[in-house]
Amino acid sequence: MSTVAALPRDEDDLVRTLNEWFRHAARDLPWRRAGFGAWGILVSEVMLQQTPVVRVIPRLAEWLERWPTPADLAATPQSEAIRAWAGLGYPRRALRLHACAVAIAERHDGIVPRDVDELLALPGIGDYTARAVAAFAYGDRHPVVDTNVRRVLARCIDGQGEPAPPNARRDLAAMDAVLPHGREEARVFNAAAMELGAVVCTARSPRCDVCPVADMCAWRAAGHPAYLGAKRAVQKKYEGSDRQVRGTLLRELGAVHRPLSAEELEPLWPDAAQRDRALAGLLADGLAVTTDEGYTLPQ
DNA sequence: AAGACGGGGGT
DNA sequence: ACCCCAGTCTT
């Protein structure tokens, strides 16, 4: 025996510590409960695309009670999915989730696919969601990288206060490099890294005082240096934006349960040019359709 | 690579 | 006011 026993690598230490922390500190979220089901996981992940956890929880329960399987949603008019999405934001997701249900019902015998490439081929399922479903619903080992994970890796591993702009190939490789090889450990670590970013290693004011991996954090070790990279573009104001107009029109189209004429749309937004632009956008997205009676939600 | 796409809550 | 949120798709 010529070699000394290898000391635990930093990654192993990180995994062990974070997973142990997760096992007792994790929030009790619905989609983490045993037997939640792949369809429920998929719906939750789509809802969680840019909508905060606390707002998703009650709406997810409504959806799954109403549409317990992909076939149930697939058999429903698109208009009902759009109405049931109200308030969650980015309503195109409702349309894509409906299309996703149709695709699963027709092409996958009503079973949520397990293969990442098959998941990626579904409407509204991108790099994050495909791997989240494969990892959390089926327990397979895939790097799951969301905004929380990117921030945790940037700080803990790279010593940067903020992640670089998203790059799927690079981000997935970075997570894969620290992901343990065992399926169960990998599944837990994906969730644990996300959880750390969501409740401890937060974007605005990280709670390093309660962080379980503070003593192995490269950013902390470096003295919390300020982020030197390019700032993210400031997002446009929502008040008065085209987005607000779209939301206003769509909400009304869903509320009245009948087609609305162009004249009936006028009082909803005084600026005609902006109103027309928003309406055209809704039509282009398939969130609204034109009939002989006027504008309405798609069937 | 950059921009569009909701809407609410925290700071 | 500004930032952020378990992103995806299009150009």
Side-chain angles (χ1 to χ4, degrees):
Chain A
M1 204 54 170
S2 60
T3 60
V4 296
L7 290 171
R9 292 182 298 116
D10 291 346
E11 291 76 13
D12 298 330
D13 226 15
L14 178 70
V15 169
R16 195 166 28 247
T17 307
L18 217 43
N19 281 10
E20 177 55 32
W21 167 78
F22 182 79
R23 283 184 234 274
H24 67 81
R27 290 169 293 175
D28 178 24
L29 301 175
W31 45 89
R32 287 179 179 163
R33 296 194 167 181
F36 196 72
W39 172 240
I41 302 268
L42 189 154
V43 175
S44 78
E45 293 297 351
V46 172
M47 286 187 172
L48 288 163
Q49 293 168 0
Q50 296 288 281
T51 301
V53 166
V54 291
R55 252 199 292 168
V56 163
I57 291 175
R59 311 305 303 282
L60 175 65
E62 295 172 12
W63 268 65
L64 294 179
E65 186 170 344
R66 187 167 176 185
W67 298 301
T69 71
D72 293 318
L73 179 57
T76 304
Q78 294 175 311
S79 56
E80 284 309 299
I82 295 170
R83 286 194 180 93
W85 197 267
L88 285 172
Y90 292 151
R92 292 191 292 200
R93 288 182 292 164
L95 227 39
R96 295 196 182 121
L97 186 50
H98 183 277
C100 191
V102 171
I104 292 171
E106 292 181 350
R107 304 203 305 260
H108 299 282
D109 297 319
I111 307 298
V112 174
R114 176 171 184 162
D115 181 78
V116 168
D117 287 326
E118 290 182 348
L119 286 162
L120 284 170
L122 296 171
I125 308 297
D127 288 312
Y128 163 76
T129 306
R131 291 173 179 80
V133 169
F136 299 138
Y138 294 110
D140 293 335
R141 183 189 179 281
H142 300 284
V144 178
V145 182
D146 74 334
T147 188
N148 292 305
V149 172
R150 293 195 305 109
R151 186 173 53 251
V152 166
L153 294 179
R155 288 177 178 165
C156 200
I157 305 294
D158 299 333
Q160 304 293 317
E162 298 175 34
N167 176 305
R169 191 175 53 76
R170 183 176 48 67
D171 296 340
L172 289 171
M175 184 59 169
D176 191 62
V178 296
L179 200 61
H181 294 288
R183 287 162 50 84
E184 176 62 9
E185 287 302 283
R187 186 188 63 75
V188 174
F189 185 72
N190 275 317
M194 216 178 295
E195 182 79 352
L196 188 75
V199 305
V200 176
C201 194
T202 57
R204 201 71 73 84
S205 27
R207 305 173 53 196
C208 302
D209 54 328
V210 299
C211 180
V213 292
D215 62 350
M216 32 189 134
C217 176
W219 186 43
R220 181 173 176 271
H224 296 111
Y227 178 64
L228 296 179
K231 298 293 238 186
R232 285 200 307 189
V234 294
Q235 74 170 31
K236 276 197 285 199
K237 182 160 62 178
Y238 179 66
E239 288 298 321
S241 68
D242 286 4
R243 282 166 153 173
Q244 184 180 25
V245 187
R246 284 171 56 111
T248 300
L249 297 182
L250 189 62
R251 187 158 40 247
E252 184 68 10
L253 290 178
V256 296
H257 285 86
R258 66 175 177 82
L260 289 174
S261 66
E263 296 75 52
E264 290 176 299
L265 258 26
E266 284 179 19
L268 296 175
W269 197 267
D271 183 333
Q274 197 178 21
R275 191 176 64 242
D276 291 347
R277 199 161 60 234
L279 186 56
L282 291 173
L283 293 168
D285 285 345
L287 285 165
V289 295
T290 309
T291 72
D292 294 339
E293 327 287 316
Y295 303 103
T296 188
L297 299 184
Q299 294 305 303

